[in-house]
Amino acid sequence: MHDVVKKLGVIDKLFVYFTECVHRDGKIMECIVLPCLTVLRKLVYADPITRLSLAQQPSILLTLLRVSLIFRDDCAVLTESAALLCLLLFDEVARKEIWADDVSSNCSNLTAFSLPVAIVRRYHLPIRVTAHHAVSPNSVVLLLSSDCLASKPVSDMLKMAWNLSWYHGIDNLLQLVNYETEAQAFLDTLKLSSEDILTLKITHTTGGLQDCLNAVIQAVSHREVRAAVTRMSFYILNDRLALKCSTGSCRTTLKVVAWQTAFNRFLQVLPASTEDEKLLADVLSFLNKLLREQRKSLEVEHLKWILEVLFKHNSSSLLDLLLRPESQVQDETDDIQTAVRQQLQKELIGLFNMLLLCFTSVTDRKGLELTDCVRTQLALKLLQCLRVTDAPHFYGLPSLERTLRGMVHVTAHPGWSSYSATTEPFTICMKYLTGLLEVISSFYVEWGGNAMSFMGKGVTKSTVLCLLHLSHEMMAQAKNMDWVSLWFLPYDKSEEQVPSRLGLAWLVPLWVDRDPEVRFTSLGIGSALTSLELGCIALAESCQNISGGLWGTVINILLDQSECSMVRREAAFILQNLLVIPMPTEEVKDCAWQGPCVHDEESGLSQVGKPALQALLYHCHFYEHLNQMVKHCYLGRYTFDLNCSVGESCMAEKNGINDFDDSINLWRVPSSQSQSPSSQSTSDTMIFSASPSLGSVDELQAPTPLASACFVPEIPVDRLMAQGQSDTTTTASPSPHDSPQTAVLSNQCALVTPPLLSAVCSLLDNLLVVVPKDTGIALRQAHLLTPLSSLVNARLVERCMLELKAPLPHPCHVEHTKVQVLFLLQYLSSVSRLLQSCLLVDTQLVIQDELMKPLLGNTLMILSIRSLDGLDTEFTSVVHQTWTDLFSLLAILLRKSGQIALPSVTAALGKHWTTIIDTICDCVHLSTTCPSLYMASLQFLSILLAEEGKRQLQDKQNICPNPTITFLLDEAEEGLASGAKLNELIIQSYEGKSSKDVRKRVAAGALLSLLAVSKSAQKCALEADLIDSCMEQMKHIHAQLNLESLRPGKTAQKKKEDNLIRELRIVLQLLRNCLFRNEECKVAALEAHLVPVLHSLWPWFIMDDSLMQIALHLLCVYTANYPTGCGSLCWASSGLSPFQTAQRSATSNSLMLSIIKLASQTLTENSAIQRMVFTLLSNLAISHDCKGVIQKSNFLQNFLSLSLPKGGNKSLSTLASHWLKLLLNISFGEDGQQMIMKLNGGLDQLVEMSKYKHKSSHHIVLLILHNICFSPTNKPKILANDKAIAVLSACLESDSLTAQRIGAAALWSLLHNYQKAKVTLKNPSIKRRVDEAYSLVKKTLSQPEGNQLKAYHLKCLENLVRLLNR
């Protein structure tokens, strides 16, 4: 049977069905998928040849996978497809020639499909299969040698295992007092020697550490203590070298052992001799190593103990050891004593540095106070050490370098100068600045920088880093902006007669130092100083003697393709700060800040300010360089291989991340305390041209491949000599300022990193502010925004975030992955802010398909990230900031180009609707902890829904091809639950916040838009009793307004009233949108006494036009298509207290009369209130009760006094149009028709108005005449008015089909059941018009049954002809 079926091509036919099923997304094919899979599974199971053929075709495997994904909800289809894929994927290992011992032998008893036992145990197979080979036939079994036990390693292992098993573990074995007596029953070969027992004691961590602590406590000499401390250090080293941290590690043991008691006495007593100093140095060294190993899991109690021992019991005893008295310095004649004291100082500073790093884990109030005080005390002591060190012009002073490294750790924490009881914070900062500038001037500037020698590299690096920290501290502590001048070096010590003031020029040599960390940090100092206007001016003046000045220097550094990204990033920050200060468009004499200055040597012309900036950017090919930076941006995590071990590589492959990390998965940056945490090496941003393969780098970055050695100068260029010149200008020989590293740059290519591009985006953002038009043109010409916005793929960010939650091979990988994701998210934030500025300058920069579609996809995928649980605070805050910027971008995009961008935004939202709504719900929950994100998300939602409302007004026929926002909110099944949750949260957020809180206004804006477009939101508001709460709020506001009006104090009273009026506006608008086209909500408002409450507030409405408009708009919505609501306006109300129930009787005290009175007062005005009040009256005119009130009030008499235009102006006024709409609604009922005819001269007025043009409706007068013709009482009056009959008969000859229909219907209504009308209408002229109109319509209108209006037109004319011919 199988052979016959296969010969008929059933297998090929089945895959044709599967392919069609995939193309149709499973539709129409549901019924045959399961039997097709079953047939194919049976054929494949029985035929190994067919199975082998299909297994080697990837397209078939993919087709089956797609079918299973389409029908993932069908368990039967999933089972069959899983079984089929199992057969195909494991075909190779199941083939008989692979595992059978002899293929040629009789294999008839073998099953058709069988797998090795190892495979069955390794995988969760969806089917049960026969298993074979519990032991692989390829495994090599070594025979046990007869003399194995005779070898020493085996016998030692047997002996050790025997004793450990006999005594039930190492603890019981070590507790034996006399082992020889206990082990007499053992064979000699199983007895442990004294060396074995000693080895056990030493290798057992718990016992060994306890012995060491006992030795420290019981020691009678320094030698014994030092020996015990050294042994304990070896236990720490053993933990560090261990491949896997076990429960018996030194770290774990010391957490439960009271080791602090043993070391108390050594930390509380000052050393009195050289031996004491050696011992203290060893103890401090051990503590330093212990803190380093336990830094991430350090017990807070241990840290507090160390602080109390060091700084409480004996006031600052160890701090005093940092600064030796002058007498001790003079007494140091012995080299050994000098070395010991230097070692002690080194260990002290190392311990203090480690403590400063551990301080970050302290969170309780008492601990924070203690650590802050210690930090300031240490800062003051290190400052004293800096002042008494050896002369700074000596090279390689270890004490100076150690002191500076300690100062780096102290100053790294913000507020480090704020906790001194005797010295002001800013005074401490000034002292620090004086000392550090002295080191820089003596050690660096006087010796021409580091260009001539490598000595003092650590001193320079630490000093510059301290200055960077100090700049931020002074910025926080300074009370005014004059502190920038304190950074000036006084004079240049040259041989000139008049010394020149250096100012900030000492920074410039640091910008071209050989060490990239020094360059980065010194530029960071420049960035901090230029954050103030005085700093910008001072730095620009200090760079006047350099070719190109400050602007040329910094631009040259930014565009230097061979420079590392960290350095270029700081240069971008300086440029960004320089652009903040307003610059002139032409040279101004008395202006302190001119901006850049460009001089043309050929023409002799000079430019300053914005023209010079444009010329400088054009000269440097600025935007072309930026384009290259984007193309060569590297998004990976690691850039080069460190020759990892094979075992680690295998582990990486096993964990499945080998395809993600570019060229290395298991790189671990060696931790070194010689570098501070704020100054990590920037060498990881450099890559050699002969770099290893980047693996799957195409997946991680833009399609443009990474160039290995592009844009690198082949000849070393002196940056200081070439600044301000063209980027093609080079010098023939290296200058003295070039470091030896420059010679290597020709073989290196500096990577561009996301942080650098983030700074570039901020720089472009500022350029758009300074020169918006020119920058917009340059961005469009360079096509820069598209690659910038599409550089980071959201899937890469999501993948990295999943890695953070997955177990990684090394702990350091978590930190590296976290840094990578943070950089990518910060880049996305920068790009979004740049695009926001572009939208404000020119929307066409962003409204492009190649830019906007991928941008929207990436943006919404980032906003859909849901896996934030378990991530630390820093990471979560960056994600929230990115979300804030992305929501703001979407909001500005919709605000600036709403209806153009709305279809694209809606289509993109439809793919992620549920997750986006869930994200917004999360943002609403964060209203307290992250208010900016809360406001940004709700503002985006508000603008999105507002644009959807505009679209609904424009697209009344609902022909939008994509799912609309209203559809997603109200009809999409997958989003109903999320939408209901969002509605509930926004209502709770609005009601739960104070009226003075700006977040309440944002929530109100979102709720307003939501209620306007979503029926489900209105339903949710009704269920949440929003209408009742709004009523109560209005009553409260009314009471408060009345109370405030009685209090003296006009200013305070006016401010309070303004706040109450603002709150009242919001409430009225909420009610308006809640009632919009929703009868259930209108019923609830009626029951909540909406009309009496509004009537009580009517005096306040009259005093505020904007409030009156909102109230009238609310009443228009309330009365639209709701006769009961219209009638409620006629009920009597006291108008004084909203708490009183309205009486159901039309009296002189009703809101209806107030509205009529308002309409009468606005007759002479052409305003929005006039339009709104007539619209409201038009709604009310449908109600019988309201028409009665209108008639009794004689309001319609005002229609007769309406002035009509004269002369050439044949267009009716706006007020006349309002009157006609009102009269049309009145004329819909017979009582209204009679009301119009009772107006003396009303018919003549209508006939006269029919001669004029109408702005809104051309046939509204004809419709009124048409309607009043239906009243039997009115027919004689109309027939007696020759002008009215002439107007109606003339309609039959009108060019407008609408006018023809109206005239025919009106004449028919006059003739119907009224014989006297024939006398007037049988006029030959009228009869001729009727006959001609009938014949014409009968000829031109083919098949009138297809159109009701055409059929009605023809019917009117037929009846007219019939009645007139009787």
Side-chain angles (χ1 to χ4, degrees):
M1 182 66 182
H2 283 208
D3 294 336
V4 175
V5 170
K6 286 185 285 187
K7 286 181 182 178
L8 294 175
V10 170
I11 294 178
D12 295 335
K13 189 65 176 177
L14 289 176
F15 279 102
V16 170
Y17 288 154
F18 292 149
T19 305
E20 186 177 359
C21 175
V22 171
H23 290 163
R24 292 175 177 265
D25 200 17
K27 297 178 180 178
I28 306 176
M29 314 288 292
E30 300 96 330
C31 56
I32 65 171
V33 170
L34 181 59
C36 289
L37 288 171
T38 305
V39 170
L40 183 60
R41 190 249 306 163
K42 292 183 177 181
L43 292 174
V44 166
Y45 178 78
D47 189 354
I49 297 176
T50 301
R51 190 165 65 238
L52 175 63
S53 173
L54 296 178
Q56 293 178 348
Q57 300 181 46
S59 59
I60 288 178
L61 298 175
L62 287 174
T63 301
L64 292 174
L65 178 61
R66 288 169 179 162
V67 170
S68 63
L69 290 175
I70 291 172
F71 294 95
R72 59 185 175 275
D73 296 330
D74 192 332
C75 296
V77 173
L78 276 183
T79 303
E80 287 293 344
S81 58
L84 188 54
L85 285 170
C86 178
L87 293 171
L88 296 177
L89 292 173
F90 290 100
D91 170 68
E92 183 177 1
V93 73
R95 284 159 53 199
K96 295 177 183 177
E97 59 268 24
I98 297 297
W99 57 267
D101 295 331
D102 187 6
V103 180
S104 61
S105 62
N106 186 12
C107 296
S108 59
N109 58 341
L110 297 176
T111 58
F113 188 84
S114 178
L115 292 176
V117 174
I119 298 295
V120 176
R121 292 174 179 172
R122 174 67 178 82
Y123 299 97
H124 296 287
L125 300 179
I127 57 176
R128 292 184 179 181
V129 297
T130 307
H132 60 266
H133 285 153
V135 179
S136 174
N138 301 315
S139 63
V140 178
V141 180
L142 296 176
L143 298 176
L144 183 62
S145 175
S146 59
D147 58 346
C148 259
L149 294 176
S151 65
K152 186 173 182 356
V154 176
S155 62
D156 288 345
M157 291 170 63
L158 179 61
K159 179 171 54 176
M160 195 67 70
W162 172 270
N163 282 272
L164 292 176
S165 300
W166 184 268
Y167 292 107
H168 304 290
I170 191 172
D171 294 327
N172 295 331
L173 179 58
L174 294 178
Q175 288 176 3
L176 295 177
V177 179
N178 192 347
Y179 173 77
E180 288 77 8
T181 305
E182 296 287 340
Q184 287 181 357
F186 298 165
L187 296 174
D188 292 340
T189 56
L190 298 179
K191 291 182 180 179
L192 294 175
S193 64
S194 58
E195 291 83 1
D196 294 333
I197 295 176
L198 180 60
T199 302
L200 279 176
K201 287 184 178 180
I202 294 175
T203 55
H204 185 233
T205 306
T206 305
L209 283 173
Q210 191 61 56
D211 289 343
C212 292
L213 291 174
N214 293 335
V216 171
I217 295 172
Q218 300 169 6
V220 294
S221 66
H222 290 70
R223 184 182 183 87
E224 294 178 5
V225 179
R226 294 180 64 193
V229 171
T230 304
R231 282 178 56 193
M232 295 179 73
S233 299
F234 278 119
Y235 283 111
I236 296 176
L237 177 62
N238 186 57
D239 278 0
R240 188 160 190 167
L241 296 176
L243 294 176
K244 185 177 181 181
C245 184
S246 62
T247 55
S249 64
C250 175
R251 250 185 309 182
T252 308
T253 304
L254 288 177
K255 286 184 178 181
V256 296
V257 176
W259 58 272
Q260 296 91 343
T261 308
F263 289 94
N264 263 336
R265 55 177 176 159
F266 305 107
L267 300 176
Q268 296 177 8
V269 181
L270 286 173
S273 64
T274 302
E275 290 299 321
D276 289 349
E277 291 176 348
K278 287 182 181 180
L279 176 59
L280 181 58
D282 288 343
V283 171
L284 294 177
S285 176
F286 167 74
L287 288 176
N288 198 359
K289 293 173 184 175
L290 180 62
L291 289 176
R292 184 183 298 117
E293 291 301 315
Q294 294 187 349
R295 185 163 69 91
K296 293 185 177 180
S297 59
L298 182 64
E299 296 288 339
V300 179
E301 296 301 323
H302 292 177
L303 184 60
K304 289 182 179 178
W305 167 80
I306 294 175
L307 292 177
E308 290 177 358
V309 168
L310 296 182
F311 303 102
K312 286 285 186 180
H313 295 287
N314 190 1
S315 179
S316 303
S317 58
L318 289 183
L319 281 176
D320 291 337
L321 290 177
L322 289 175
L323 187 63
R324 290 172 292 165
E326 197 68 26
S327 58
Q328 290 186 7
V329 178
Q330 295 175 359
D331 293 342
E332 284 186 0
T333 56
D334 188 4
D335 292 339
I336 296 177
Q337 186 179 15
T338 303
V340 169
R341 288 183 175 172
Q342 288 182 351
Q343 181 65 24
L344 177 59
Q345 188 190 37
K346 176 182 177 182
E347 296 298 340
L348 268 175
I349 293 181
L351 177 64
F352 290 141
N353 293 345
M354 183 51 60
L355 282 173
L356 290 169
L357 292 177
C358 295
F359 284 172
T360 56
S361 62
V362 179
T363 55
D364 62 295
R365 182 177 178 182
K366 181 180 177 182
L368 288 173
E369 290 179 357
L370 185 58
T371 54
D372 290 337
C373 292
V374 168
R375 190 177 284 109
T376 305
Q377 289 180 37
L378 182 58
L380 292 172
K381 191 62 66 175
L382 288 173
L383 182 60
Q384 295 177 19
C385 294
L386 183 66
R387 293 188 176 280
V388 300
T389 48
D390 300 330
H393 57 267
F394 288 110
Y395 279 111
L397 291 176
S399 60
L400 177 61
E401 186 171 348
R402 284 193 298 269
T403 302
L404 289 169
R405 193 177 302 134
M407 295 172 76
V408 168
H409 283 79
V410 168
T411 57
H413 190 276
W416 55 269
S417 64
S418 305
Y419 299 94
S420 173
T422 58
T423 312
E424 289 291 329
F426 193 72
T427 304
I428 299 176
C429 293
M430 289 177 60
K431 293 180 179 179
Y432 256 69
L433 180 60
T434 303
L436 293 171
L437 287 181
E438 183 180 347
V439 173
I440 281 290
S441 61
S442 301
F443 192 85
Y444 194 87
V445 177
E446 285 187 12
W447 290 89
N450 281 348
M452 306 303 294
S453 171
F454 279 95
M455 299 187 69
K457 177 180 178 181
V459 172
T460 304
K461 185 187 301 183
S462 299
T463 305
V464 175
L465 191 52
C466 278
L467 287 168
L468 176 60
H469 296 163
L470 183 62
S471 64
H472 292 282
E473 185 71 10
M474 293 184 75
M475 200 180 304
Q477 300 296 344
K479 298 179 181 179
N480 51 50
M481 302 303 173
D482 296 339
W483 61 272
V484 175
S485 60
L486 301 174
W487 288 70
F488 296 170
L489 279 183
Y491 297 104
D492 184 6
K493 299 178 182 179
S494 59
E495 297 179 357
E496 298 178 4
Q497 293 181 355
V498 181
S500 60
R501 187 176 179 86
L502 277 176
L504 295 176
W506 55 272
L507 275 173
V508 180
L510 292 167
W511 293 353
V512 289
D513 190 272
R514 77 167 69 89
D515 188 353
E517 290 190 18
V518 174
R519 300 198 297 271
F520 155 72
T521 312
S522 58
L523 282 165
I525 296 172
S527 175
L529 295 177
T530 53
S531 61
L532 301 175
E533 183 175 353
L534 293 176
C536 293
I537 297 172
L539 192 57
E541 291 177 352
S542 301
C543 296
Q544 286 180 350
N545 295 328
I546 303 173
S547 175
L550 175 61
W551 292 83
T553 302
V554 179
I555 290 178
N556 194 21
I557 295 174
L558 173 62
L559 302 183
D560 186 357
Q561 302 287 346
S562 63
E563 183 59 273
C564 68
S565 289
M566 292 179 67
V567 178
R568 301 170 72 183
R569 176 171 170 254
E570 293 301 324
F573 286 155
I574 294 178
L575 280 174
Q576 182 181 342
N577 292 340
L578 295 177
L579 291 171
V580 172
I581 307 175
M583 61 180 69
T585 54
E586 57 185 11
E587 187 173 359
V588 182
K589 294 182 179 180
D590 298 331
C591 184
W593 178 253
Q594 298 280 358
C597 179
V598 176
H599 179 72
D600 188 359
E601 295 182 354
E602 296 181 0
S603 62
L605 298 176
S606 296
Q607 287 182 322
V608 296
K610 295 180 182 179
L613 175 64
Q614 290 297 100
L616 186 60
L617 295 178
Y618 176 79
H619 178 72
C620 296
H621 304 285
F622 180 74
Y623 296 98
E624 290 82 353
H625 277 282
L626 296 189
N627 226 329
Q628 295 300 325
M629 289 167 64
V630 177
K631 291 180 181 178
H632 295 86
C633 179
Y634 183 76
L635 303 178
R637 194 175 309 155
Y638 307 123
T639 55
F640 51 88
D641 200 341
L642 292 184
N643 298 322
C644 295
S645 64
V646 177
E648 290 177 332
S649 300
C650 294
M651 188 184 299
E653 294 175 359
K654 181 179 178 182
N655 281 273
I657 59 172
N658 213 22
D659 61 334
F660 182 68
D661 295 335
D662 312 312
S663 58
I664 168 177
N665 288 291
L666 302 171
W667 173 42
R668 185 174 186 175
V669 176
S671 60
S672 172
Q673 294 305 316
S674 63
Q675 295 179 356
S676 75
S678 303
S679 177
Q680 296 179 353
S681 175
T682 58
S683 60
D684 59 339
T685 61
M686 307 292 289
I687 184 169
F688 289 96
S689 57
S691 62
S693 173
L694 295 178
S696 59
V697 73
D698 291 338
E699 181 185 353
L700 302 180
Q701 61 182 24
T704 306
L706 179 66
S708 59
C710 296
F711 305 99
V712 178
E714 297 182 358
I715 302 174
V717 179
D718 181 7
R719 187 181 289 137
L720 289 179
M721 295 298 293
Q723 283 160 5
Q725 302 174 13
S726 171
D727 54 89
T728 58
T729 305
T730 58
T731 55
S733 60
S735 74
H737 292 283
D738 281 327
S739 64
Q741 186 181 1
T742 311
V744 190
L745 287 178
S746 58
N747 295 323
Q748 293 180 345
C749 177
L751 293 178
V752 176
T753 59
L756 171 57
L757 288 185
S758 299
V760 168
C761 290
S762 300
L763 175 60
L764 291 174
D765 197 355
N766 281 17
L767 281 172
L768 280 169
V769 175
V770 177
V771 279
K773 184 178 179 180
D774 296 329
T775 306
I777 294 173
L779 289 174
R780 185 182 289 107
Q781 292 176 347
H783 303 287
L784 191 57
L785 292 178
T786 300
L788 273 174
S789 60
S790 60
L791 181 63
V792 175
N793 190 343
R795 296 190 181 277
L796 170 60
V797 178
E798 187 177 11
R799 189 171 180 179
C800 292
M801 293 183 69
L802 292 176
E803 277 197 40
L804 286 175
K805 295 196 166 187
L808 294 173
H810 287 289
C812 64
H813 277 272
V814 177
E815 202 63 31
H816 297 159
T817 306
K818 174 185 170 184
V819 170
Q820 182 187 16
V821 180
L822 291 180
F823 284 165
L824 296 177
L825 291 175
Q826 289 165 355
Y827 171 75
L828 287 171
S829 292
S830 301
V831 171
S832 64
R833 287 193 291 269
L834 171 62
L835 293 177
Q836 291 175 42
S837 299
C838 291
L839 285 168
L840 295 175
V841 171
D842 183 5
T843 56
Q844 294 304 316
L845 290 172
V846 181
I847 306 299
Q848 304 172 22
D849 287 343
E850 65 272 12
L851 188 153
M852 196 163 68
K853 287 186 178 180
L855 171 66
L856 289 174
N858 267 345
T859 298
L860 295 176
M861 282 189 66
I862 295 295
L863 292 174
S864 302
I865 294 174
R866 307 289 303 152
S867 54
L868 297 183
D869 298 334
L871 300 177
D872 59 15
T873 307
E874 179 190 8
F875 191 92
T876 306
S877 64
V878 173
V879 173
H880 289 165
Q881 182 59 48
T882 305
W883 282 357
T884 302
D885 293 326
L886 293 178
F887 275 127
S888 300
L889 171 62
L890 292 175
I892 293 179
L893 175 64
L894 289 170
R895 181 178 285 128
K896 298 298 291 183
S897 54
Q899 295 305 307
I900 299 175
L902 182 63
S904 300
V905 174
T906 305
L909 277 172
K911 300 176 183 177
H912 308 277
W913 180 250
T914 303
T915 52
I916 293 295
I917 293 299
D918 291 339
T919 299
I920 295 177
C921 291
D922 291 344
C923 298
V924 174
H925 283 300
L926 296 171
S927 61
T928 304
T929 56
C930 192
S932 59
L933 175 58
Y934 168 85
M935 295 172 67
S937 60
L938 290 187
Q939 284 171 351
F940 158 69
L941 183 64
S942 177
I943 296 172
L944 173 68
L945 296 172
E947 293 299 327
E948 171 66 10
K950 294 177 184 178
R951 184 203 62 78
Q952 290 180 358
L953 294 175
Q954 297 174 6
D955 185 19
K956 295 182 179 180
Q957 298 180 356
N958 197 16
I959 57 174
C960 182
N962 297 321
T964 63
I965 300 298
T966 303
F967 174 83
L968 295 172
L969 283 169
D970 296 340
E971 300 180 35
E973 295 182 1
E974 64 275 7
L976 289 178
S978 299
K981 179 182 177 183
L982 176 64
N983 296 333
E984 183 180 353
L985 283 175
I986 295 178
I987 292 174
Q988 291 176 358
S989 178
Y990 167 75
E991 293 181 341
K993 289 180 172 53
S994 168
S995 59
K996 297 179 181 179
D997 193 343
V998 67
R999 292 171 296 179
K1000 181 166 187 173
R1001 291 200 292 271
V1002 175
L1007 188 56
L1008 279 170
S1009 302
L1010 196 58
L1011 292 170
V1013 300
S1014 173
K1015 294 295 182 183
S1016 59
Q1018 292 177 336
K1019 182 180 179 181
C1020 183
L1022 183 62
E1023 294 172 352
D1025 295 329
L1026 178 64
I1027 294 175
D1028 292 335
S1029 64
C1030 287
M1031 292 300 174
E1032 294 300 322
Q1033 198 173 355
M1034 289 167 65
K1035 294 175 185 177
H1036 175 73
I1037 292 172
H1038 176 244
Q1040 289 292 318
L1041 285 171
N1042 290 341
L1043 186 62
E1044 292 299 325
S1045 63
L1046 300 175
R1047 290 178 178 173
K1050 295 185 178 179
T1051 305
Q1053 172 191 343
K1054 181 63 177 174
K1055 186 176 182 181
K1056 186 73 175 290
E1057 287 182 0
D1058 290 344
N1059 293 332
L1060 291 171
I1061 295 296
R1062 189 182 303 112
E1063 186 178 354
L1064 181 58
R1065 285 195 189 100
I1066 295 175
V1067 176
L1068 293 172
Q1069 290 170 344
L1070 279 176
L1071 280 172
R1072 177 198 64 199
N1073 289 8
C1074 193
L1075 303 182
F1076 182 64
R1077 294 179 181 175
N1078 193 311
E1079 189 167 351
E1080 293 180 0
C1081 292
K1082 292 180 181 180
V1083 172
L1086 177 65
E1087 295 174 352
H1089 308 300
L1090 170 64
V1091 173
V1093 173
L1094 292 178
H1095 195 190
S1096 65
L1097 288 165
W1098 195 258
W1100 296 98
F1101 296 159
I1102 293 175
M1103 291 189 295
D1104 190 322
D1105 286 350
S1106 62
L1107 198 60
M1108 176 61 80
Q1109 290 183 44
I1110 298 172
L1112 291 173
H1113 200 176
L1114 167 60
L1115 287 170
C1116 288
V1117 172
Y1118 173 67
T1119 56
N1121 300 320
Y1122 187 47
T1124 307
C1126 295
S1128 67
L1129 269 71
C1130 302
W1131 301 344
S1133 173
S1134 65
L1136 298 175
S1137 175
F1139 301 98
Q1140 299 179 6
T1141 305
Q1143 301 174 4
R1144 299 178 63 89
S1145 61
T1147 65
S1148 59
N1149 186 19
S1150 68
L1151 183 59
M1152 182 68 190
L1153 289 174
S1154 299
I1155 294 170
I1156 292 174
K1157 183 178 180 181
L1158 177 66
S1160 302
Q1161 293 172 352
T1162 58
L1163 290 177
T1164 58
E1165 302 174 8
N1166 185 13
S1167 63
I1169 293 180
Q1170 183 189 85
R1171 177 177 58 84
M1172 294 300 301
V1173 73
F1174 270 92
T1175 303
L1176 175 58
L1177 286 173
S1178 299
N1179 288 352
L1180 296 172
I1182 303 296
S1183 169
H1184 176 75
D1185 293 340
C1186 295
K1187 280 189 284 192
V1189 176
I1190 292 174
Q1191 184 177 14
K1192 291 179 181 179
S1193 65
N1194 290 326
F1195 173 70
L1196 295 182
Q1197 294 296 327
N1198 295 310
F1199 173 69
L1200 301 177
S1201 60
L1202 189 65
S1203 60
L1204 298 179
K1206 298 178 181 179
N1209 188 2
K1210 294 296 183 180
S1211 221
L1212 287 175
S1213 64
T1214 304
L1215 179 59
S1217 299
H1218 295 332
W1219 269 108
L1220 290 176
K1221 291 177 183 177
L1222 172 60
L1223 292 177
L1224 177 63
N1225 282 13
I1226 291 176
S1227 68
F1228 286 139
E1230 185 174 354
D1231 53 347
Q1233 296 164 8
Q1234 294 177 11
M1235 286 170 55
I1236 296 174
M1237 289 301 298
K1238 287 180 180 178
L1239 291 174
N1240 190 12
L1243 182 61
D1244 295 333
Q1245 181 85 329
L1246 288 172
V1247 171
E1248 187 67 23
M1249 293 175 73
S1250 66
K1251 301 176 182 178
Y1252 296 92
K1253 297 179 182 179
H1254 303 273
K1255 295 179 181 178
S1256 56
S1257 177
H1258 300 292
H1259 309 295
I1260 190 168
V1261 177
L1262 295 178
L1263 286 172
I1264 297 172
L1265 293 173
H1266 165 273
N1267 291 349
I1268 62 178
C1269 289
F1270 281 80
S1271 174
T1273 309
N1274 295 340
K1275 291 181 180 181
K1277 298 178 182 179
I1278 297 173
L1279 290 169
N1281 193 314
D1282 295 338
K1283 293 182 179 179
I1285 298 298
V1287 169
L1288 293 176
S1289 62
C1291 291
L1292 299 176
E1293 297 178 341
S1294 173
D1295 295 335
S1296 171
L1297 287 176
T1298 303
Q1300 293 178 22
R1301 280 195 298 269
I1302 294 173
L1307 293 174
W1308 181 26
S1309 65
L1310 289 173
L1311 283 169
H1312 183 69
N1313 290 335
Y1314 191 62
Q1315 295 296 328
K1316 295 181 180 181
K1318 294 181 181 180
V1319 178
T1320 304
L1321 297 180
K1322 278 189 176 182
N1323 184 301
S1325 173
I1326 297 177
K1327 192 172 184 304
R1328 178 184 55 79
R1329 289 178 178 177
V1330 171
D1331 293 337
E1332 290 179 356
Y1334 176 66
S1335 60
L1336 181 63
V1337 170
K1338 200 170 183 179
K1339 290 179 183 178
T1340 56
L1341 296 181
S1342 61
Q1343 297 180 351
E1345 296 83 4
N1347 189 306
Q1348 292 183 357
L1349 290 176
K1350 293 179 180 179
Y1352 178 70
H1353 187 190
L1354 184 60
K1355 184 178 179 180
C1356 291
L1357 291 173
E1358 287 177 348
N1359 284 281
L1360 270 176
V1361 171
R1362 180 176 57 81
L1363 291 172
L1364 291 176
N1365 290 331
R1366 279 184 180 180

